[in-house]
Amino acid sequence: MKRSEVNREELSPMMKQYMEIKDNYEEEILFFRLGDFYELFFEDGILASHELELTLTGKNAGLKERIPMCGVPFHSVKPYLEKLVNKGYKVAICEQLEDAKNTKGMVKRGVVQVVSKGTFVDLEFLKEYDNNYIGSVLDFKTKYILTYADVSTGHFYVCEIPYSREKLLSEILNLNLKEVIMADNTDTQLIDTLKNNYGIGMTISSEYLEKDYQEIYEHIHDIYFITGIKHLLYYLVVKELKDLSHVKEVQIVSKEDYLSMDIHTIRNLELFETLRLKERTYSLIWLLDKTKTAMGSRKLKYWLQNPLRDAKEIEKRYDQIEKLNNEFIIKEELRKDLYAIYDLERLCAKVICGVLNARDVVQIKKSLQVLPNVIDKIKTLNFSLNIDSHQELYDLLDSAIDDNPPLSLKEGHLIKEGYNQELDELRNIRSGGKSFISSLETTERERTGIKNLKVGYNKIFGYYIEISKGNIKDIDESWGWERRQTLANCERYITPLLKEKEALVLNAEEKIIELEYSLFMEIKETIKKEIFKLKNTAEEISKLDAIIALSVASEEYNLVRPTLTTQNIIKIKDGRHPVVERVSKDQYIANDCIMDETIDTLLITGPNMSGKSTYMRQLAIIIIMAQMGSFVPAKSATLPIFDKIFTRIGASDDLVSGESTFMVEMLEARNAIVNATSHSLILFDELGRGTATYDGMSIAEAILEYISKNIKCKTLFSTHYHELTNLDRKFTNIKNVHVSALEENGTITFLHKIKNGAVDKSYGIHVASLAKMPPELLKRANEILNYYEKSNKTKQPHQEQLILDLEEKEEEKNILKEELEKIDPLNITPMEAINKLYELKEIAKEK
């Protein structure tokens, strides 16, 4: 049964209320609160029962037949929400907006929030080291405006993207946006690519928030940026009912301030996840992340994602790392303090978004407790970090909130004794009543002589005296007992005195819960008033944690402070790839990378598996680490400031979009050639191998020539086309280097050492031997290789011969075409078809 098929006039009042609310949330799955359950009806119920593996039942709703329904308990709803949201659904949470006890008739209900992939704020469902961004894209036909926010931290950004679909996709993937909102004029191909190829949640909306939250973008004057901000705000505030009071201001991201890296570069260099397993382990961030807080982990990732181009800011981070390395005792003490600090950024978001519980407040209190120690040590280090101690707030939380409160706010046990006089009095009343009730059992046993008499309690009947059926005859009317409940083996009674004490205890219990909740909400409002100060502290703590992590990494991995230069030179002595060095079982072979102002390109030759790709990656990683403000893996390093890095490393067919290896190669190469400047770094690994030999060699040579003549940026270009090594005679800014290998008695040993000059051998068959190919196969490969080598010495292809071959091929093609055109597929028998196929085959043989 579908909602659209129902006659609403026949529905029960409650279901009419459901239908009215659901009408406003057609795209969302509606969790409708009924008592202790969230219930889902009609299509939502059928969908949720399938996705969540729940039993689909029926509900009487005033119709002749029961409507489809399933439900989940409200106290354990979070895992179900997470499952649906991770599958790409949006969920609208409909709550009871008033207490049923105080209401006559229908309880008022309404949607209090909409949960989607990009707007989760519950800490247990978020990766602590990653931001949870939701973004808006507006297409202005000359440029894109990308606005993105992390509701769980209150960060809000806006930036301009050049009018290139590739650059926009790259930025969206780099930021790992969980959800994207686009206007209805957006290119449908872009929407399909994001949704179907990359699994990003998509929403089409062309609405803008005009009035609220103007204070967060009042410092911005660019009308395009303001439009983008309003677009995202409308979705968050109106569609998803988010309170964004923890957003201080929108930050404009200027791409000119940072080292630019597209998504291919970030993936090829394995900065955040490995190419093969798509996991964080063994990536560069995995190696460097020595942080002690979730905030610090996210800040370190941001630094690695956005390496700086401002030499002064980079040197400032170097100075701090050097200071921490010298003050290693203070550094270790700081790390212990930081370990006690919880995720203040996301806790602040929970305060605003209405999902804060008492345990979260305890985490805030414990975080504030160590701040005075942190502040003292920062002063000793002379770091310019502005951290508030929040002493008044800490004192309030320490005196008010119980150290081990429950998750629910409606169970009591939130507030400490001594904080509120009225609460303490109510607790004394409750305690006295409970003490009386607990002693009543002993008193009544002695008075009545009934040895198995018990005093108990349940939620429906309250307190009672229970005796077995056999002792009913011993009851004296003068005791004043009233029968309350009859069970199979016993009877339960109530006495006037017990009733009086019960009313006292239960009334006090109810008042205590209400008062504790009220006091907690007052404390929450106090925290809310200090939210921006807390966020500022969280930001400063994240910077401190990130810089300490880089200091720890510098000592643990033997990193050195780089020297930044304005000259166009690279001078790295004994450079290393930090991750490969860390995980490799063998001793890592360090290598120099020397490129003075006269050398722009290193043309790298050498055997497969010898380490060419690692050498190229290592240079890029050293540069990225240097510009993020980290020390680098080398004996010494002198580097300029780069503006962009482009890579083409490894043969990765773009199976998602159906593009071949060679097409992907060409697209990535074009991206580098078109966008690189003289201050960029280009890494091309065996470019041109995805097509025929002469094609590939020609393209590789043309690209090398173009870079050397027109761009003149620092370039590492590895190749198996040994003919290219002659280019150093034509271009003085190209230098040949090779990765050395030792060949003895038909076996090869890779030395992994970069040396000057070129090699003219690829050792491909030796590598096949190392891969344990069958001996017979290897022997045949050697025979074929010897044949080709001899043929090449005696016979050189001429242009005339190539033209002749092409003409013959064309003639053959024309004859076959003529014969094929004579065939009528609709008027030929199977036997005639076989005979015709035989004739065509003979023609082909003759030609």
Side-chain angles (χ1 to χ4, degrees):
M1 183 188 299
K2 296 181 179 179
R3 273 196 315 125
S4 59
E5 299 170 350
V6 171
N7 182 356
R8 297 196 180 194
E9 296 300 320
E10 298 177 0
L11 290 171
S12 64
M14 188 275 293
M15 282 311 298
K16 284 181 180 177
Q17 185 187 48
Y18 167 83
M19 297 289 267
E20 288 171 5
I21 294 171
K22 177 63 183 174
D23 286 343
N24 295 317
Y25 295 92
E26 294 282 356
E27 296 179 1
E28 292 79 14
I29 297 174
L30 184 63
F31 274 49
F32 191 74
R33 179 74 177 270
L34 285 173
D36 289 343
F37 280 82
Y38 287 108
E39 296 189 356
L40 301 95
F41 305 110
F42 297 106
E43 294 93 333
D44 284 356
I46 295 167
L47 177 65
S49 69
H50 174 72
E51 296 288 5
L52 300 175
E53 298 176 7
L54 299 172
T55 302
L56 184 68
T57 60
K59 184 179 182 70
N60 292 320
L63 304 174
K64 292 179 182 178
E65 58 179 303
R66 288 155 65 88
I67 64 170
M69 184 206 84
C70 67
V72 297
F74 86 96
H75 56 78
S76 58
V77 70
K78 287 183 179 180
Y80 297 105
L81 286 180
E82 183 191 21
K83 196 169 184 180
L84 284 173
V85 168
N86 284 338
K87 289 186 174 189
Y89 297 106
K90 298 174 190 173
V91 179
I93 310 294
C94 178
E95 295 286 2
Q96 295 174 182
L97 301 180
E98 51 191 4
D99 195 330
K101 296 176 185 175
N102 307 322
T103 307
K104 291 182 179 179
M106 181 69 62
V107 175
K108 186 178 179 182
R109 292 181 176 85
V111 172
V112 295
Q113 65 167 322
V114 176
V115 182
S116 60
K117 223 172 190 179
T119 56
F120 252 141
V121 292
D122 285 308
L123 304 188
E124 56 265 42
F125 299 138
L126 297 172
K127 292 179 181 176
E128 62 176 22
Y129 53 77
D130 204 1
N131 282 102
N132 195 56
Y133 287 129
I134 179 171
S136 147
V137 173
L138 290 182
D139 181 352
F140 287 103
K141 304 307 175 187
T142 56
K143 60 186 172 185
Y144 293 107
I145 296 298
L146 175 63
T147 314
Y148 55 100
D150 184 346
V151 178
S152 73
T153 63
H155 291 138
F156 209 118
Y157 304 95
V158 64
C159 65
E160 180 182 315
I161 306 292
Y163 202 60
S164 159
R165 187 185 299 164
E166 290 80 10
K167 288 182 179 179
L168 177 63
L169 278 171
S170 180
E171 193 63 29
I172 289 172
L173 296 174
N174 276 350
L175 291 168
N176 193 23
L177 295 187
K178 303 297 189 300
E179 196 175 347
V180 175
I181 321 304
M182 290 186 170
D184 53 16
N185 70 332
T186 308
D187 179 5
T188 54
Q189 188 177 345
L190 178 62
I191 295 170
D192 291 342
T193 300
L194 289 169
K195 185 178 180 179
N196 301 323
N197 294 4
Y198 299 105
I200 296 173
M202 299 297 303
T203 299
I204 305 301
S205 169
S206 296
E207 303 289 341
Y208 304 87
L209 191 70
E210 295 298 340
K211 292 181 180 179
D212 299 328
Y213 295 102
Q214 292 178 355
E215 66 278 2
I216 71 173
Y217 59 83
E218 61 186 3
H219 62 291
I220 297 175
H221 305 293
D222 187 310
I223 190 64
Y224 294 105
F225 286 161
I226 292 172
T227 306
I229 294 164
K230 288 179 177 179
H231 185 240
L232 183 55
L233 280 174
Y234 181 87
Y235 181 79
L236 292 175
V237 176
V238 177
K239 296 290 285 183
E240 298 225 337
L241 307 173
K242 302 301 179 191
D243 185 343
L244 301 178
S245 304
H246 58 311
V247 176
K248 190 172 185 179
E249 66 176 29
V250 180
Q251 298 178 48
I252 298 174
V253 178
S254 174
K255 294 297 177 185
E256 300 302 314
D257 296 337
Y258 305 106
L259 170 64
S260 173
M261 302 177 287
D262 63 18
I263 188 63
H264 306 295
T265 298
I266 286 173
R267 287 179 175 173
N268 284 333
L269 297 177
E270 299 182 308
L271 298 186
F272 304 110
E273 63 180 22
T274 56
L275 276 170
R276 181 170 294 179
L277 299 177
K278 307 292 182 187
E279 290 179 353
R280 193 174 194 260
T281 305
Y282 304 130
S283 66
L284 183 59
I285 191 67
W286 163 80
L287 188 83
L288 296 178
D289 194 351
K290 304 295 178 183
T291 57
K292 291 295 183 180
T293 70
M295 302 169 292
S297 185
R298 292 194 296 273
K299 179 62 70 177
L300 189 70
K301 181 180 179 182
Y302 181 83
W303 285 359
L304 182 55
Q305 230 168 2
N306 300 279
L308 299 168
R309 288 172 59 185
D310 185 335
K312 286 183 181 178
E313 286 299 311
I314 297 170
E315 294 284 4
K316 184 179 175 182
R317 290 182 191 172
Y318 293 164
D319 291 340
Q320 290 177 331
I321 292 172
E322 209 160 64
K323 183 75 172 179
L324 287 164
N325 287 351
N326 293 332
E327 300 286 354
F328 54 88
I329 294 174
I330 295 177
K331 177 172 70 177
E332 286 308 311
E333 289 173 351
L334 272 172
R335 294 189 83 206
K336 288 177 184 176
D337 290 334
L338 291 172
Y339 189 66
I341 297 177
Y342 290 84
D343 196 342
L344 277 176
E345 274 184 340
R346 284 182 168 158
L347 287 169
C348 286
K350 292 189 79 173
V351 173
I352 299 299
C353 295
V355 291
L356 188 80
N357 60 48
R359 291 185 188 177
D360 295 327
V361 178
V362 171
Q363 289 185 356
I364 292 173
K365 183 196 81 172
K366 288 181 177 178
S367 301
L368 301 184
Q369 187 175 6
V370 299
L371 290 183
N373 294 340
V374 173
I375 292 167
D376 288 342
K377 294 179 180 73
I378 286 172
K379 287 178 180 175
T380 305
L381 293 168
N382 199 27
F383 282 4
S384 57
L385 294 171
N386 181 27
I387 299 177
D388 194 319
S389 66
H390 305 280
Q391 192 61 50
E392 287 185 16
L393 180 59
Y394 170 75
D395 292 340
L396 169 67
L397 302 184
D398 189 42
S399 63
I401 302 297
D402 193 282
D403 291 329
N404 190 27
L407 276 172
S408 171
L409 300 179
K410 296 294 181 74
E411 293 179 18
H413 308 291
L414 303 175
I415 306 297
K416 277 183 178 178
E417 189 176 333
Y419 176 71
N420 180 274
Q421 186 178 349
E422 183 186 354
L423 181 62
D424 290 345
E425 289 173 0
L426 285 168
R427 283 172 171 167
N428 287 334
I429 292 169
R430 181 183 64 180
S431 177
K434 283 188 173 180
S435 297
F436 166 79
I437 290 166
S438 63
S439 65
L440 182 66
E441 187 172 279
T442 305
T443 305
E444 287 296 296
R445 279 181 181 178
E446 291 174 357
R447 186 170 73 88
T448 61
I450 300 173
K451 301 299 182 185
N452 63 357
L453 179 149
K454 295 177 183 176
V455 175
Y457 172 81
N458 69 32
K459 286 184 178 181
I460 298 171
F461 292 100
Y463 288 98
Y464 54 80
I465 293 171
E466 181 181 289
I467 61 171
S468 64
K469 294 278 189 183
N471 289 313
I472 295 175
K473 63 182 187 305
D474 298 326
I475 297 174
D476 193 316
E477 287 186 12
S478 64
W479 297 349
W481 286 15
E482 297 175 20
R483 183 180 280 107
R484 173 161 275 191
Q485 188 183 14
T486 300
L487 299 177
N489 301 317
C490 62
E491 294 283 345
R492 290 175 176 174
Y493 297 87
I494 187 74
T495 71
L497 186 60
L498 187 59
K499 196 178 255 186
E500 179 188 332
K501 292 296 182 183
E502 175 189 76
L504 190 72
V505 170
L506 295 181
N507 191 36
E509 190 80 49
E510 190 173 320
K511 284 184 176 178
I512 285 168
I513 289 172
E514 287 178 3
L515 182 55
E516 286 204 60
Y517 179 77
S518 176
L519 291 169
F520 179 83
M521 297 310 287
E522 286 178 10
I523 292 165
K524 179 184 168 184
E525 286 303 310
T526 304
I527 299 172
K528 200 171 180 179
K529 289 175 185 175
E530 202 159 342
I531 209 76
F532 288 130
K533 288 183 180 178
L534 283 168
K535 284 196 59 169
N536 183 70
T537 295
E539 174 69 14
E540 299 293 88
I541 289 292
S542 72
K543 292 176 187 175
L544 177 65
D545 196 14
I547 206 71
I548 289 174
L550 293 179
S551 170
V552 172
S554 73
E555 293 186 317
E556 192 170 329
Y557 306 131
N558 192 27
L559 311 180
V560 299
R561 177 172 182 157
T563 301
L564 300 180
T565 179
T566 55
Q567 295 177 288
N568 188 27
I569 64 170
I570 294 175
K571 189 176 180 181
I572 297 172
K573 299 292 290 182
D574 290 341
R576 314 183 306 275
H577 190 301
V579 180
V580 176
E581 180 186 31
R582 183 72 175 173
V583 301
S584 177
K585 296 176 183 177
D586 303 321
Q587 182 182 355
Y588 189 87
I589 305 299
N591 273 298
D592 299 344
C593 184
I594 311 295
M595 301 175 77
D596 61 27
E597 289 183 319
T598 65
I599 300 299
D600 293 324
T601 300
L602 292 184
L603 186 56
I604 310 167
T605 48
N608 287 311
M609 291 178 57
S610 62
K612 298 191 298 295
S613 298
T614 301
Y615 178 70
M616 297 170 79
R617 284 190 175 100
Q618 130 186 344
L619 172 62
I621 283 173
I622 287 172
I623 289 166
I624 291 166
M625 287 177 67
Q627 289 188 220
M628 75 177 282
S630 169
F631 286 11
V632 299
K635 190 174 181 180
S636 66
T638 301
L639 300 165
I641 301 287
F642 288 89
D643 63 356
K644 302 171 186 176
I645 295 181
F646 301 95
T647 68
R648 170 58 200 169
I649 300 174
S652 54
D653 288 24
D654 192 346
L655 298 178
V656 171
S657 61
E659 289 173 346
S660 67
T661 300
F662 186 64
M663 176 55 83
V664 173
E665 275 190 357
M666 292 301 99
L667 289 172
E668 292 180 17
R670 185 214 59 172
N671 181 45
I673 290 165
V674 169
N675 294 296
T677 72
S678 59
H679 299 292
S680 302
L681 174 72
I682 293 177
L683 306 178
F684 281 159
D685 187 19
E686 298 182 26
L687 198 67
R689 64 181 167 182
T691 186
T693 303
Y694 288 119
D695 268 355
M697 187 169 66
S698 304
I699 290 166
E701 184 169 343
I703 288 173
L704 261 175
E705 288 184 359
Y706 186 90
I707 292 171
S708 299
K709 285 195 294 187
N710 300 306
I711 304 174
K712 298 181 180 177
C713 66
K714 297 299 184 190
T715 304
L716 266 58
F717 196 111
S718 74
T719 186
H720 282 297
Y721 300 133
H722 300 294
E723 294 83 352
L724 300 183
T725 57
N726 294 324
L727 284 173
D728 66 339
R729 300 171 192 170
K730 186 176 178 182
F731 297 96
T732 57
N733 60 346
I734 294 179
K735 179 182 176 181
N736 281 311
V737 296
H738 69 277
V739 191
S740 56
L742 181 65
E743 186 181 3
E744 288 182 325
N745 302 321
T747 61
I748 187 171
T749 304
F750 299 121
L751 302 179
H752 304 294
K753 198 70 180 174
I754 298 291
K755 294 184 177 179
N756 290 331
V759 294
D760 58 359
K761 197 170 183 180
S762 290
Y763 301 98
I765 293 173
H766 294 87
V767 174
S769 176
L770 290 173
K772 301 195 182 302
M773 285 284 190
E776 184 182 345
L777 184 152
L778 295 170
K779 182 181 177 184
R780 178 59 183 149
N782 266 311
E783 290 171 359
I784 295 169
L785 177 64
N786 290 332
Y787 170 78
Y788 280 126
E789 285 177 343
K790 287 176 183 176
S791 298
N792 282 338
K793 288 176 184 175
T794 59
K795 183 179 179 181
Q796 294 295 329
H798 295 288
Q799 187 68 22
E800 294 83 2
Q801 184 180 339
L802 287 171
I803 291 170
L804 184 62
D805 288 344
L806 288 170
E807 287 174 349
E808 288 178 355
K809 291 283 183 187
E810 190 63 34
E811 182 186 346
E812 173 190 333
K813 182 180 172 184
N814 288 339
I815 294 170
L816 289 171
K817 185 181 177 184
E818 287 172 8
E819 291 297 320
L820 285 167
E821 285 175 348
K822 294 176 184 177
I823 301 170
D824 182 0
L826 299 176
N827 293 299
I828 189 170
T829 66
M831 184 56 69
E832 287 173 341
I834 292 170
N835 291 333
K836 197 66 183 174
L837 183 62
Y838 180 78
E839 288 176 20
L840 291 171
K841 190 175 177 183
E842 289 301 311
I843 292 170
K845 276 184 181 179
E846 291 172 11
K847 289 294 175 184

